[in-house]
Amino acid sequence: MNAPVPKPWILGIAPYVPGRSTIDGGTVVAKLSSNENPLGTPPAARAAFDAALGSLERYPDPAATALREAIAQAHDLDPARIIYGTGSDEVLHLAAGAFAGVGDEVVFVRYGFAVYEIAARRVGATPVIAPDRDYATDVDAILACITPNTRVVFVANPNNPTGAYVAGGEIARLHAALPRDVLLVIDQAYAEYLAPEDDDGALALAREAGNVLVTRTFSKIYGLAAERIGWGYGSAEVIDALHRIRAPFNVTTAGQAAAIAALGDAAFVERSRVHNAQWLAWFEDQIAALGNAGLRCVPSKANFSLVLFEGPVTAEAAYHALLAHGFIVRWLPGQGLPHGLRITIGTEQQMRGIAQLLRSIIAA
């Protein structure tokens, strides 16, 4: 059968593979593959979502006015310089689509978020992968990749899938060394999990710099992954360009209402952050105790841990053994990490259960 031929750069895209959510013929004990909030969704957000369902026949506010104003109030921002999207993924794609194309280069770190390469290739740009420093972002390596063809640099902070964090001084140093015609995108999907003293200064930088875009999401700590709501902040010129290619009516009425309510529940957010900090530290200690068997964690400041299997037990074997007991985690051979499992921080019961299983797997 004859069919249109896609552009060659489209055929070069490896489709995004989300974290697994089911197992074959068994019961899911813990889904720890997608970095979701184990505490659920703020009750006020659920109530706001339900209340909005009475107007399903109406298009949502195309300007997301109330949502932008709520975000601006929460973070001391100019609402006119906020863009919103179907998750922060859409905003990342908009950044590449507005500022890069055929013949241009998009730079991101090795072991970075898989969407960066997809966003670059989708518009015909060339992905340029900067070497890491023991799985963490290396600012000097990124700067060494900059050429006259560079148009966008993506940096996730904390990074996904490693959880690694770049201090604010390094973010400022990276920005200061970039040409002004290069857009620096700082992806802060996990920013709310940081302690206050770990603020990397990205939003402050975006307030003043013309070539910085910060992205965030309601999918993680706010527990609204099902609604796919993200946002970004940058200069008026950058935001104007993104709006020109943004899909209309891209955030649902119920999603906007739920996100506004979630922003207002600071107690839920803090409870989620404290829970994550406690059980992330506990889990990293448990893995450190297995160091003699070749296991170690990449130090994380997100709501997950990347566990590396560098001994006789492989990540693949551990992945299948965990699945057999109903624990779903993320094995990452497609991201160059066949020796790694990314494990979301779950409830206390889930974390104690998976730690015990890993000890059993190693001892077998």
Side-chain angles (χ1 to χ4, degrees):
M1 180 183 298
N2 294 327
V5 177
K7 294 293 186 181
W9 52 84
I10 298 298
L11 295 176
I13 294 175
Y16 179 79
V17 179
R20 187 169 178 171
S21 59
T22 61
I23 61 177
D24 299 329
T27 301
V28 175
V29 175
K31 179 177 180 278
L32 304 176
S33 57
S34 299
N35 304 338
E36 296 151 338
N37 189 334
L39 304 188
T41 303
R46 289 186 179 275
F49 180 91
D50 290 342
L53 296 181
S55 58
L56 291 178
E57 77 282 6
R58 303 292 185 189
Y59 283 107
D61 174 11
T65 304
L67 176 58
R68 287 188 296 107
E69 289 176 350
I71 293 169
Q73 182 175 3
H75 297 283
D76 189 24
L77 304 174
D78 178 356
R81 292 168 54 184
I82 293 172
I83 191 162
Y84 39 93
T86 308
S88 56
D89 287 7
E90 182 185 7
V91 183
L92 298 173
H93 277 281
L94 293 177
F99 293 97
V102 177
D104 296 329
E105 294 173 351
V106 174
V107 178
F108 48 89
V109 71
R110 181 164 52 187
Y111 311 127
F113 187 30
V115 165
Y116 304 153
E117 181 167 355
I118 296 173
R121 291 188 183 277
R122 180 171 177 260
V123 297
T126 300
V128 177
I129 302 175
D132 64 295
R133 180 181 296 165
D134 194 22
Y135 302 93
T137 298
D138 184 334
V139 167
D140 290 317
I142 292 174
L143 292 174
C145 291
I146 305 301
T147 75
N149 295 325
T150 305
R151 292 294 173 265
V152 179
V153 174
F154 286 114
V155 174
N157 204 33
N159 185 47
N160 175 21
T162 66
Y165 168 76
V166 183
E170 286 293 276
I171 293 291
R173 185 168 72 87
L174 171 61
H175 174 256
L178 288 177
R180 299 301 89 172
D181 62 349
V182 172
L183 179 66
L184 174 59
V185 181
I186 305 171
D187 177 359
Q188 292 192 324
Y190 302 93
E192 289 85 2
Y193 286 104
L194 295 171
E197 62 269 20
D198 286 330
D199 179 13
D200 65 7
L203 279 176
L205 193 60
R207 289 189 189 96
E208 305 299 328
N211 65 331
V212 174
L213 173 68
V214 173
T215 65
R216 290 201 177 185
T217 183
F218 285 90
S219 295
K220 305 305 179 186
I221 207 167
Y222 291 106
L224 290 171
E227 278 305 285
R228 310 299 299 118
I229 309 161
W231 60 277
Y233 191 76
S235 66
E237 294 78 8
V238 166
I239 298 303
D240 174 72
L242 303 188
H243 275 304
R244 292 172 184 268
I245 58 173
R246 175 183 56 80
F249 307 110
N250 59 337
V251 180
T252 67
T253 298
Q256 292 183 38
I260 292 168
L263 276 171
D265 195 341
F268 176 87
V269 172
E270 179 62 10
R271 186 163 66 253
S272 298
R273 188 191 68 78
V274 169
H275 171 90
N276 183 75
Q278 175 184 351
W279 289 101
L280 173 62
W282 180 88
F283 185 66
E284 288 183 335
D285 286 345
Q286 300 300 303
I287 297 302
L290 298 174
N292 289 339
L295 272 65
R296 69 178 175 112
C297 290
V298 175
S300 174
K301 287 187 179 289
N303 70 333
F304 58 84
S305 180
L306 178 64
V307 181
L308 304 177
F309 290 73
E310 300 170 329
V313 176
T314 67
E316 181 179 9
Y319 170 74
H320 289 294
L322 290 170
L323 270 183
H325 288 85
F327 282 77
I328 306 174
V329 300
R330 189 77 180 270
W331 180 39
L332 298 162
Q335 291 184 247
L337 290 163
H339 57 302
L341 297 181
R342 193 192 67 188
I343 300 174
T344 304
I345 302 304
T347 64
E348 175 180 353
Q349 181 180 8
Q350 290 169 344
M351 299 316 295
R352 290 190 184 279
I354 197 168
Q356 181 179 350
L357 273 171
L358 285 171
R359 287 192 294 269
S360 300
I361 292 166
I362 294 302

